[in-house]
């Protein structure tokens, strides 16, 4: 029993040392002089400490390998051995071997370490001045005097191998099982709950009592904050593996790449860090492989031969930003666009209307890879779409910013913690449930009007969301609540699920709440409609819906997903429009190709002639018309103090501009519009754009041909 | 397996006297608001938050095929130790005394007609005028039926 505990202590200790060694080895190549000696000393001490403890515990193989590596490093330190790439390679391999041995200590003594020892021996013999002595127990002591550091340095006593369990580092950290940390977290949340309930009941009678209650409250909050912080880890623990990754890749590719790490002290939930490892590795490889150009190409472009990849972590509000930035060739939107059309991801006319940044983000689509040559590093079929879905799975998002010739920036936004997710609390029948916000695409109020009602499609209720047909699930029925006929307006939550979208009918929306996810009781695991459970602010348990499970339960699988996909697959007839508002909240759209330009004006620019407003522009005096002048039934809005004047492309001789109170955006909108009933002069139809009902102006109004239509 | 002498925590359900090995019982808890788990097996009474830990509460009436009355107003939860299974308990009408029984007292049950509940029953003995049925706490979670029952009409 005691041995097992000692082994475990050693394993953890050694793993920490070995991580530091791997880190240090990569740095070794870049430093020289005193800094180099300092680095080597650090590595030496780490290996020395492992060797000492391994000897103490009778782990012969670990001791032998560590000793040989230590001897080699000692010679570097004494200037008897040059730091070369092959030396560092060898030492990295030694480190890998040690990591493997430490991983399974019980089996380590029976492992075959002869090949790595032979190679170490060769390295030592290549310089005939010294041959490593066999690791005798005394040898560790002989090494001691040279190791003693000047006072004040933050280094361990090198003799610490005898006092493994008294390592000074151990005074600063303790290890506790994750289960205990989780339990503490639960109890802290419960304490907050009890505090909240107590605060409601307690009525302090005097200042002294008030202060007491106040203190209880503050201490409770502090406890919760502190306990939560135990789950946090600096991202540095993840970042430190990348220098080595970059080093290896750049050598394979024949590039020189410098990796700059920033913000390694930023803290993230352990769970997030663990699940960030793969996507981040992929992005770094991607930056080295596709981002950074070959040295020749870089020199030709007037850049330094050495490329730089930056890995930056920042904490901002409740989000952590992780940025992978390279100073490489950037993403060529034209090339991406061509590829996307080739692969059938994009229609030709769609491509023409897309902005550069939208074209660039196409590389995140499944089935996309721009690598001209499929290398062994990236382009192995695992695309950036997988990275994106991995990031989204932990509640984050991925964005690309790229400037052709300047470089590319992958911008990750991540939640601080996995354990707490924002949810929407909803009611269905007699049940109160949580729907994770990340699953919700939009909410529709079902008020029974033509635009917002459910229809029957064969045997299933469907909802027409713009031009997409989505299957509908009545949540209360699905959960087995009795069907209640009611006229009360209900809601439709459009959620991701069942390889597409899914409409969830809910009776009421309560409030958004940040919840701590707890796994569902093991005995209920077969209920896949729930992703977990949680304790709500009122102390009651609530269940968290799993949309994939809900879709399965409702029988919405691939078959109906095809029905959903069909109207989507057809490339929509779309047109680019300018969205604006009239100052009273109503939204309008006008096709972009009908617009010459839009100018900004201030009240001072406006001149009035016989009741008409006009503005002098370089190409003449434009008459300013308001929306109510051209569209029937629009409430009059005075010309704003500052606004925009839309100048149409075609004019019928007179220069007529349209006053826009507020510009919103440009957007893709369907060409096919729904008619407005009753018909309205100046309005072609209506459609939903960017989730808002938008009236489409007839471009003819800009010509003045419908002037006086009211 | 029954030790020669054991302590039994007794309780009442629908007027009958039952007992669990005291070593399996962690605590008796006053009622707390519970949440019904939709689509769960009928034996699941619900989930409750007890001191920050979510417990699964089972409805023993269902498991023993007793008349399914609603729990009495002053019902209690018996919560079990980890040895019996992960954070769970049952609803009982009332808690009884702790008895010390001798293995010799057990009158072994006849094969039950209901295979579901028979797995739960350790043995039967007389206690004064009454019959005390000893139950196996560690068999409770395993006895949950996992064929989900569809409730309500779906259309």
């Amino acid at each position: 029993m005691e041995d097992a505990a000692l082994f475990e202590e050693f394993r953890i200790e050694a793993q920490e040392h070995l991580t530091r060694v791997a880190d240090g080895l990569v740095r070794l190549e870049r430093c020289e002089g005193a800094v180099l000696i300092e680095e080597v000393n650090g590595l030496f001490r780490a290996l020395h400490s492992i060797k000492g403890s391994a000897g103490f515990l009778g782990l012969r193989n670990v001791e032998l390998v560590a000793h040989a590596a230590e001897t080699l490093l000692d010679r570097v330190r004494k200037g008897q051995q040059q730091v070369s790439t092959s030396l560092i390679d060898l030492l990295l391999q030694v480190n890998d071997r040690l990591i493997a041995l430490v991983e399974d200590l019980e089996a380590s003594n029976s492992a075959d370490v002869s090949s790595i020892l032979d190679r170490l021996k060769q390295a030592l013999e290549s310089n005939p001045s010294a041959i490593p002595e066999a690791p005798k127990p005394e040898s560790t002591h002989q090494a001691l005097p040279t190791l003693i550091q000047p006072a004040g340095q933050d280094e361990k006593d090198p003799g610490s191998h005898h006092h493994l369990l008294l390592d000074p580092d151990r005074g600063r950290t303790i290890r506790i099982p994750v289960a205990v940390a989780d339990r503490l977290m639960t109890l802290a949340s419960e304490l907050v709950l009890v505090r909240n309930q107590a605060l409601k009941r307690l009525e302090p009678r005097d200042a002294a009592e008030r202060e007491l209650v106040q203190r209880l409250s503050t201490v409770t909050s502090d406890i919760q904050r502190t306990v939560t912080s135990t789950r946090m880890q600096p991202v540095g623990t993840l970042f430190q593996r990348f220098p080595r990754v970059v080093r290896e890749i750049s050598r394979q590719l024949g590039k020189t790449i410098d990796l700059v790490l920033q913000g390694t002290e930023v803290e993230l939930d352990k769970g997030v860090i663990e699940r960030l490892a793969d996507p981040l590795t992929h992005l770094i490889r991607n930056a080295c492989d596709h981002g950074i150009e070959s040295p020749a190409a870089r020199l030709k472009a007037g850049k330094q031969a050495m490329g730089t990849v930056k890995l930056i972590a920042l904490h901002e509000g409740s989000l952590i930003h992780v940025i992978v930035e390279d100073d490489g060739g950037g993403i060529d939107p034209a090339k991406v666009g061509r590829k996307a059309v080739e692969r059938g991801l994009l229609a030709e006319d769609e491509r023409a209307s897309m902005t550069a940044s939208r074209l660039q983000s196409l590389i995140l689509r499944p089935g996309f890879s721009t690598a001209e040559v499929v290398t062994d590093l990236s382009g192995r079929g695992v695309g950036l779409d997988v990275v994106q879905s991995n990031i989204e799975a932990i509640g984050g998002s991925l964005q690309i910013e790229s400037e052709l010739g300047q470089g590319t920036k992958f911008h990750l936004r991540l939640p601080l913690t996995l354990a707490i997710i924002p949810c929407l609390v909803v009611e269905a029948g007699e049940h109160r449930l949580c729907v994770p916000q990340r699953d919700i695409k939009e909410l529709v109020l079902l008020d029974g009007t033509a635009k917002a009602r459910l229809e029957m499609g064969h045997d299933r209720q469907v909802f027409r969301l713009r031009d997409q047909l989505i299957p509908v699930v009545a949540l209360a029925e699905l959960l087995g609540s009795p069907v209640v006929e009611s006229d009360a307006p209900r809601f439709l939550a459009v959620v991701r699920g069942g390889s597409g979208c899914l409409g969830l009918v809910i009776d009421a929306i309560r409030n958004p709440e940040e919840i701590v996810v707890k796994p569902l009781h093991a005995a209920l695991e077969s209920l896949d409609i729930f992703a977990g459970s949680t304790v709500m602010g009122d102390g009651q348990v609530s269940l968290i819906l799993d949309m994939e499970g809900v879709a399965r339960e409702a029988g919405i699988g691939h078959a109906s997903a095809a029905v959903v996909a069909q109207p989507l697959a057809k490339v929509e007839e779309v047109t680019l429009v300018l969205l604006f508002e009239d100052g009273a909240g109503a939204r309008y759209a006008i096709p972009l190709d009908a617009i010459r330009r839009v100018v900004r004006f201030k009240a001072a620019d406006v001149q009035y002639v016989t009741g008409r407003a006009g503005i002098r522009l370089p190409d003449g005096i434009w008459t300013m018309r308001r929306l109510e002048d051209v569209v029937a039934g629009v409430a009059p809005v005075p010309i704003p103090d500052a606004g925009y004047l839309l100048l149409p492309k075609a004019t019928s001789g007179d220069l007529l501009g349209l006053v826009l109170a507020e510009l919103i955006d440009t957007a893709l909108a369907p060409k096919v519009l729904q008619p407005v009933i009753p018909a309205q002069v100046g309005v072609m139809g209506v459609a939903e754009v960017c989730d808002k009902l938008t009236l489409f102006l007839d471009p003819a109004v800009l010509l003045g041909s419908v002037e006086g239509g009211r | 397996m029954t030790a020669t002498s054991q302590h039994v925590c007794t309780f009442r359900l629908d007027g009958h006297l039952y007992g669990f090995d005291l070593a399996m019982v962690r605590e008796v808890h006053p009622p707390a608001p519970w949440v019904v788990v939709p689509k769960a097996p009928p034996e699941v009474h619900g989930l409750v938050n007890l001191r920050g830990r979510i417990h699964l509460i089972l409805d023993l009436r269902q498991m023993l095929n007793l008349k399914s009355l609603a729990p009495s107003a002053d019902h209690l939860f018996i919560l079990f130790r980890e040895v019996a299974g992960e954070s769970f308990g049952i609803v009982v009408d009332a808690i009884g005394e702790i008895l010390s029984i001798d293995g010799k007292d057990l009158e072994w049950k006849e094969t039950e007609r209901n295979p579901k509940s028979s797995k739960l029953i350790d043995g039967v003995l007389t206690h004064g005028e009454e019959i005390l049925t000893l139950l196996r706490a560690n068999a409770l979670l395993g006895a949950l039926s996992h064929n989900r029952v569809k409730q309500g009409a779906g259309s």
Side-chain angles (χ1 to χ4, degrees):
Chain A
M1 267 316 267
E2 222 165 90
D3 262 7
L6 276 176
F7 272 29
E8 184 58 18
E9 281 292 341
F10 171 69
R11 199 171 59 79
I12 294 166
E13 190 86 25
Q15 278 169 344
E16 272 181 12
H17 281 311
L18 292 171
T19 321
R20 269 198 297 259
V21 169
D23 206 19
L25 282 172
V26 177
R27 279 198 303 266
L28 225 50
E29 255 177 335
R30 300 240 182 85
C31 42
E32 48 192 19
V35 184
L36 177 74
I37 298 302
E38 189 50 44
E39 285 281 357
V40 173
N41 275 341
L43 298 176
F44 186 92
R45 275 192 299 274
L47 285 167
H48 184 77
S49 172
I50 292 173
K51 181 183 79 172
S53 304
F56 176 70
L57 292 170
L59 299 162
R60 185 75 184 155
N61 276 343
V62 177
E63 187 189 359
L64 279 168
V65 176
H67 172 79
E70 183 197 288
T71 312
L72 199 54
L73 278 171
D74 190 36
R75 290 182 39 187
V76 174
R77 199 169 54 166
K78 291 178 180 147
Q80 295 163 349
Q81 178 98 35
Q82 283 295 310
V83 176
S84 66
T85 309
S86 62
L87 177 82
I88 287 173
D89 279 344
L90 175 62
L91 287 171
L92 280 171
Q93 279 158 14
V94 167
N95 200 52
D96 285 345
R97 194 76 184 101
L98 282 172
I99 289 172
L101 287 173
V102 165
E103 191 63 43
D104 192 359
L105 284 176
E106 281 74 9
S108 74
N109 273 357
S110 48
D112 179 17
V113 291
S114 56
S115 77
I116 196 87
L117 284 176
D118 282 349
R119 295 184 52 195
L120 277 164
K121 214 167 152 197
Q122 273 170 18
L124 286 165
E125 280 163 359
S126 65
N127 185 336
S129 67
I131 288 166
E133 51 182 304
K136 297 183 211 94
E138 293 80 18
S139 65
T140 56
H141 294 284
Q142 289 166 1
L144 291 187
T146 54
L147 278 167
I148 291 167
Q149 291 293 313
Q153 247 176 306
D154 182 26
E155 291 296 344
K156 299 176 222 169
D157 169 13
S160 65
H161 65 283
H162 282 319
H163 314 287
L164 173 70
L165 306 178
L166 298 172
D167 189 319
D169 258 352
R170 292 172 43 76
R172 279 179 259 134
T173 57
I174 54 160
R175 293 173 204 288
I176 54 167
V178 173
V180 174
D182 287 348
R183 181 83 188 118
L184 270 175
M185 184 114 152
T186 311
L187 287 171
S189 321
E190 183 68 9
L191 184 61
V192 170
L193 218 66
V194 173
R195 189 258 326 253
N196 293 350
Q197 281 165 6
L199 285 185
K200 271 188 206 157
R201 291 280 180 87
L202 293 176
E203 280 169 26
R205 278 162 306 187
D206 53 41
E209 277 191 19
R210 214 174 350 263
E211 204 209 308
L212 206 60
V213 170
Q214 194 61 48
R215 258 172 54 205
L216 177 71
S217 175
T218 335
V219 170
T220 307
S221 302
D222 279 355
I223 287 183
Q224 195 198 23
R225 209 170 309 126
T226 312
V227 169
T228 311
S229 73
T230 59
R231 285 187 60 89
M232 306 303 265
Q233 271 189 348
V235 286
T237 55
L238 173 61
F239 284 9
Q240 67 189 7
R241 71 165 74 170
F242 293 122
R244 186 168 173 191
V245 170
V246 170
R247 177 179 179 273
E248 266 159 29
I249 298 176
S250 44
R251 251 195 349 166
Q252 281 178 45
L253 294 169
K255 299 177 183 176
T256 41
I257 302 171
D258 186 27
L259 179 70
V260 179
L261 302 180
Q262 277 174 23
T264 48
E265 73 290 343
V266 169
E267 291 196 322
L268 253 175
D269 185 289
K270 198 175 175 305
V272 179
I273 287 195
E274 279 162 8
R275 294 176 64 180
L276 196 57
D278 284 348
L280 215 48
T281 309
H282 194 102
L283 286 179
I284 299 247
R285 283 173 168 274
N286 188 74
C288 295
D289 195 0
H290 300 315
I292 304 286
E293 318 91 320
S294 66
R298 289 185 64 89
L299 288 172
K300 213 166 161 192
K303 297 183 189 176
Q304 273 191 331
M306 182 191 268
T308 306
V309 175
K310 281 190 195 161
L311 180 55
I312 304 163
L314 306 164
H315 185 175
E316 200 182 276
S318 65
L319 286 178
I320 297 290
H321 300 255
V322 174
I323 296 161
V324 180
E325 188 179 357
D326 66 60
D327 65 347
I331 302 168
D332 184 349
K335 195 163 136 195
V336 172
R338 271 200 309 279
K339 273 262 155 62
V341 174
E342 262 171 45
R343 311 249 149 120
L345 297 170
L346 199 66
E348 186 58 49
D349 58 341
E350 214 177 345
R351 186 183 77 165
S353 63
M354 279 172 90
T355 60
S357 73
R358 286 194 53 179
L359 283 168
Q360 283 166 343
S361 61
L362 284 173
I363 63 166
L364 296 177
R365 292 261 188 103
F368 197 94
S369 169
T370 50
E372 306 261 295
V373 186
V374 173
T375 63
D376 126 61
L377 296 173
S378 9
R380 287 158 305 178
V382 184
L384 285 169
D385 59 310
V386 176
V387 173
Q388 189 178 30
S389 59
N390 283 348
I391 302 287
E392 279 172 359
I394 51 176
S397 70
L398 173 62
Q399 260 184 7
I400 302 174
E401 292 159 40
S402 179
E403 185 106 12
L404 191 57
Q406 302 298 307
T408 307
K409 203 192 238 184
F410 286 92
H411 194 147
L412 280 70
R413 289 178 175 79
L414 302 160
L416 272 177
T417 165
L418 274 188
I420 297 170
I421 59 167
C423 271
L424 193 66
V425 185
V426 303
E427 274 174 36
E430 69 264 39
H431 305 293
R432 176 177 68 166
L433 299 146
C434 297
V435 184
Q437 292 274 22
R438 60 165 184 258
D439 288 336
I440 301 178
K441 296 181 83 172
E442 56 189 289
L443 288 166
V444 180
L445 173 67
L446 298 173
D447 54 4
T449 58
K451 263 210 71 70
R453 65 185 169 82
L454 304 179
E455 298 166 59
M456 279 310 277
H458 182 47
D459 60 345
R460 177 179 291 289
Q461 278 192 310
V462 292
F463 181 76
R464 231 183 268 268
L465 181 70
R466 295 180 279 283
D467 42 10
Q468 192 182 353
L469 215 54
I470 53 175
V472 167
V473 176
L475 192 53
E477 280 173 46
L478 184 83
L479 299 178
S481 290
V483 184
V484 185
E485 285 301 327
S486 140
D487 288 338
R490 293 184 297 172
F491 296 90
L492 187 81
V494 181
V495 295
R496 278 178 249 273
S499 66
C501 278
L502 173 71
L504 216 54
V505 180
I506 48 188
D507 296 331
I509 294 174
R510 285 257 194 111
N511 54 304
E513 195 161 323
E514 304 252 305
I515 60 163
V516 179
V517 182
K518 298 177 183 198
L520 204 58
H521 194 281
L524 298 175
E525 255 172 14
S526 59
L527 292 180
D528 56 3
I529 52 172
F530 301 117
S533 49
T534 187
V535 177
M536 306 290 287
D538 60 5
Q540 287 232 32
V541 178
S542 182
L543 292 156
I544 304 159
L545 284 176
D546 179 316
M547 288 312 152
E548 294 301 322
V550 168
R552 261 196 302 280
E553 180 75 25
I556 297 169
H558 298 290
S560 37
V563 175
V564 177
Q566 203 189 356
L568 275 181
K570 173 175 141 271
V571 177
E572 288 170 25
E573 286 279 59
V574 289
T575 164
L576 208 55
V577 295
L578 176 75
L579 297 175
F580 63 96
E581 283 186 1
D582 62 0
R587 186 160 291 187
Y588 292 87
I590 197 151
L592 221 49
D593 53 17
I595 301 169
R596 176 186 296 182
R597 63 199 162 100
V598 175
V599 296
R600 193 197 289 260
F601 68 84
K602 286 199 253 349
D605 304 327
V606 183
Q607 298 172 24
Y608 291 90
V609 183
T610 62
R612 281 174 174 258
I615 196 162
R616 178 182 285 281
L617 293 173
D619 48 355
I621 294 172
W622 288 76
T623 304
M624 298 171 79
R625 294 190 305 162
R626 290 164 294 175
L627 209 53
E628 75 236 34
D629 297 325
V630 298
V631 179
V634 172
V637 179
I639 289 179
D641 285 339
Y644 299 90
L645 192 67
L646 184 157
L647 313 180
K649 206 171 249 174
T651 58
S652 57
D654 299 332
L655 298 177
L656 300 173
L658 183 66
V659 175
L660 314 178
E662 223 176 300
L663 283 187
I664 305 299
D665 204 353
T666 58
L668 283 175
K671 267 186 184 151
V672 183
L673 303 173
Q674 293 179 23
V676 188
I677 301 167
Q680 208 175 344
V681 176
V683 175
M684 291 195 297
V686 65
E688 212 160 8
V689 184
C690 302
D691 300 345
K692 274 199 88 163
L693 212 58
T694 305
L695 287 169
F696 279 64
L697 290 188
D698 186 346
V701 303
L702 300 172
L703 298 173
S705 56
V706 284
E707 170 108 64
R710 59 186 148 143
Chain B
M1 218 177 69
T2 316
T4 42
S5 176
Q6 66 176 146
H7 292 287
V8 172
C9 169
T10 64
F11 62 94
R12 286 187 183 278
L13 208 57
D14 276 10
H16 304 287
L17 190 64
Y18 294 96
F20 282 113
D21 182 353
L22 190 62
M24 291 287 178
V25 176
R26 191 175 81 223
E27 63 176 297
V28 176
H29 199 281
W34 73 89
V35 162
V36 175
V37 183
K39 305 304 241 188
E43 301 92 334
V44 172
H45 180 70
L47 293 171
V48 288
N49 165 33
L50 300 173
R51 293 190 302 276
R53 186 173 281 187
I54 297 176
H55 286 72
L56 178 71
I57 304 293
L58 301 179
D59 184 357
L60 202 53
R61 279 189 184 79
Q62 284 275 356
M63 307 184 86
L64 296 173
N65 291 333
L66 298 177
K67 280 179 294 170
S68 238
L69 297 169
S72 64
D74 51 354
H75 68 272
L76 294 164
F77 296 145
I78 293 182
L79 305 178
F80 298 102
R81 289 180 188 277
E82 294 289 318
V83 284
E86 191 198 330
S87 353
F88 84 106
I90 55 162
V91 206
V92 301
D93 291 338
I95 200 82
E97 50 194 323
I98 307 281
L99 299 176
S100 180
I101 60 156
D102 202 318
K104 297 195 297 280
D105 296 344
L106 275 182
E107 293 167 26
W108 292 97
K109 62 188 181 337
E110 299 289 313
T111 314
E112 287 274 332
R113 268 173 303 179
N114 185 339
K116 189 165 102 182
S117 55
S118 67
K119 271 183 280 170
L120 298 176
I121 295 172
D122 201 13
V124 183
L125 60 138
T126 48
H127 172 64
E129 297 291 290
E130 279 190 288
I131 305 284
L132 168 62
T133 309
L134 280 184
L135 301 173
R136 293 193 186 102
N138 50 5
L140 286 170
L141 284 178
L144 275 183
S145 64
H146 277 281
N147 42 344
R148 284 182 267 154
V149 179
K150 259 209 151 75
Q151 302 163 350
S155 92

